[in-house]
Amino acid sequence: MEAPEFFPPSENLTAAVVHPLCEEWKGGSEGAIFHLASIFLVLGFMGGSGFYGLLYLFTFLTLGFFCTTIWSWSDACTTDTFLWNFALFGICAVQVVHVAYRLRNVTFEKEFQDLYSYLFKKLGVSLTHFGKIVACCEGDIHTIEKDHCFAMEGKTAIDKLSVLLSGRIRVTVNGEFLHDIYPFQFLDSPEWDSLRPSEEGLFQVTLRADNCCRYVSWRRKKLYLLFAKHRYIAKVFALVVRNDIADKLYSLNDKAFDSRGFRYDLRLPTYCHVSPLPELDRTDGFLRVPAQYDRGHRGRVPITITAPEETD
């Protein structure tokens, strides 16, 4: 029995071996362009997620593959290496243009960017959805001069939803001070939540600017149309509006005292957190919460905030 031949005959060895074996390492380097390409590729693969992360990643990959294209044309001198690197360079360049275009569509003014960071980002709302919210108000920012009124008690119609961006608004009812509204709080959240989409109503409080204020406002009809198209945005607004109402109710606790100095808990309008005494059987001394804050909100003060799940 003859032993199997693992190698071809010596006379056919040259024809069988197409590529020569690496007999020794080159003494020199591949050149500065090859090393620069490697550095760009390493930096590119360190990119993160999101629009800015993708822009960072594809920008460095484009530079890296551009350098490898030049290297393969000048040093390697092989057609396949050049074509592959040139194809990858073109793909990454197209991705840079695409991501930059998308990023341009979700870039906002500083005040809108601050509104997103303070109110919507912590709920996980994407920049794409926030762009639709900004488009609903057409990107307009309004100004109220000092001592001018945003709404007057019993006169101004409830036809929009507004968020204060800067300044301070004083809220009064029958000339009595209730509380202040600060930046990134809703101006009319109790009025908004007290009406159904088909109902109309008037403000029961007066909102007057303590200084020059800027705010963003959404018209009711346009905002309800946005809610009908995007249920996720509707859930987000329901969450932030009702949380804002809860904050306003808690701010009223600082003045919720009876004639003897006992503090009342507005979450339980008929009880107070004090030891029971015989004279507390009388209820005529309890503080009454203004109707616009009490209507439809008893027992609905949120304790925890959970971001709604995105469904569309």
Side-chain angles (χ1 to χ4, degrees), residues 146-251:
K146 182 179 180 181
D147 295 331
H148 286 204
C149 289
F150 173 82
M152 297 188 67
E153 182 178 348
K155 297 181 180 180
T156 305
I158 306 171
D159 58 354
K160 54 189 175 182
L161 179 66
S162 306
V163 177
L164 186 65
L165 298 178
S166 63
R168 185 178 64 188
I169 298 290
R170 176 179 293 265
V171 182
T172 59
V173 57
N174 296 325
E176 180 184 355
F177 172 76
L178 287 181
H179 61 86
D180 288 320
I181 298 177
Y182 298 97
F184 307 114
Q185 290 183 336
F186 286 91
L187 294 172
D188 42 11
S189 53
E191 288 77 14
W192 169 272
D193 201 55
S194 65
L195 295 179
R196 295 180 180 178
S198 58
E199 294 180 341
E200 296 183 358
L202 300 175
F203 275 82
Q204 301 301 310
V205 293
T206 298
L207 284 75
R208 186 184 302 272
D210 277 349
N211 46 37
C212 184
C213 302
R214 291 172 63 82
Y215 69 95
V216 59
S217 183
W218 296 271
R219 292 291 175 181
R220 289 189 66 190
K221 292 183 179 180
K222 295 189 66 174
L223 198 54
Y224 279 126
L225 288 176
L226 180 65
F227 292 167
K229 294 179 181 179
H230 304 281
R231 298 299 301 169
Y232 172 72
I233 297 179
K235 294 177 181 179
V236 169
F237 265 87
L239 179 64
V240 295
V241 166
R242 291 169 184 175
N243 182 68
D244 185 80
I245 295 172
D247 291 339
K248 289 181 170 63
L249 286 173
Y250 277 122
S251 69

Side-chain angles (χ1 to χ4, degrees), residues 1-135:
M1 183 176 179
E2 296 182 358
E5 294 183 359
F6 293 99
F7 299 98
S10 58
E11 60 272 11
N12 298 331
L13 184 61
T14 304
V17 180
V18 180
H19 297 284
L21 297 176
C22 180
E23 297 179 355
E24 60 179 352
W25 294 97
K26 289 184 178 180
S29 62
E30 289 294 339
I33 297 179
F34 177 81
H35 295 290
L36 182 62
S38 301
I39 293 173
F40 282 143
L41 292 176
V42 170
L43 292 175
F45 287 121
M46 294 173 63
S49 60
F51 287 107
Y52 292 101
L54 291 176
L55 186 63
Y56 171 91
L57 185 147
F58 286 114
T59 298
F60 277 103
L61 289 185
T62 301
L63 295 175
F65 286 121
F66 177 73
C67 292
T68 56
T69 301
I70 296 177
W71 169 79
S72 61
W73 176 267
S74 59
D75 292 347
C77 296
T78 55
T79 305
D80 51 351
T81 305
F82 170 79
L83 291 178
W84 270 111
N85 285 287
F86 184 77
L88 293 173
F89 161 72
I91 293 173
C92 291
V94 171
Q95 287 292 335
V96 169
V97 175
H98 177 64
V99 174
Y101 177 77
R102 293 179 61 191
L103 184 61
R104 180 176 177 271
N105 292 338
V106 294
T107 302
F108 313 101
E109 298 180 15
K110 182 180 183 303
E111 289 173 306
F112 281 111
Q113 192 67 41
D114 293 340
L115 176 64
Y116 171 75
S117 300
Y118 190 90
L119 201 61
F120 293 98
K121 185 177 181 180
K122 59 185 178 182
L123 297 178
V125 179
S126 65
L127 287 173
T128 303
H129 282 101
F130 184 68
K132 297 176 182 178
I133 295 173
V134 173

Side-chain angles (χ1 to χ4, degrees), residues 245-281:
I245 295 172
D247 291 339
K248 289 181 170 63
L249 286 173
Y250 277 122
S251 69
L252 294 176
N253 268 341
D254 294 335
K255 297 191 298 295
F257 293 94
D258 65 357
S259 58
R260 289 163 296 182
F262 293 120
R263 181 191 294 270
Y264 296 101
D265 189 345
L266 295 181
R267 294 173 298 177
L268 306 171
T270 57
Y271 298 94
C272 58
H273 288 291
V274 295
S275 301
L277 297 174
E279 56 269 5
L280 290 182
D281 293 337

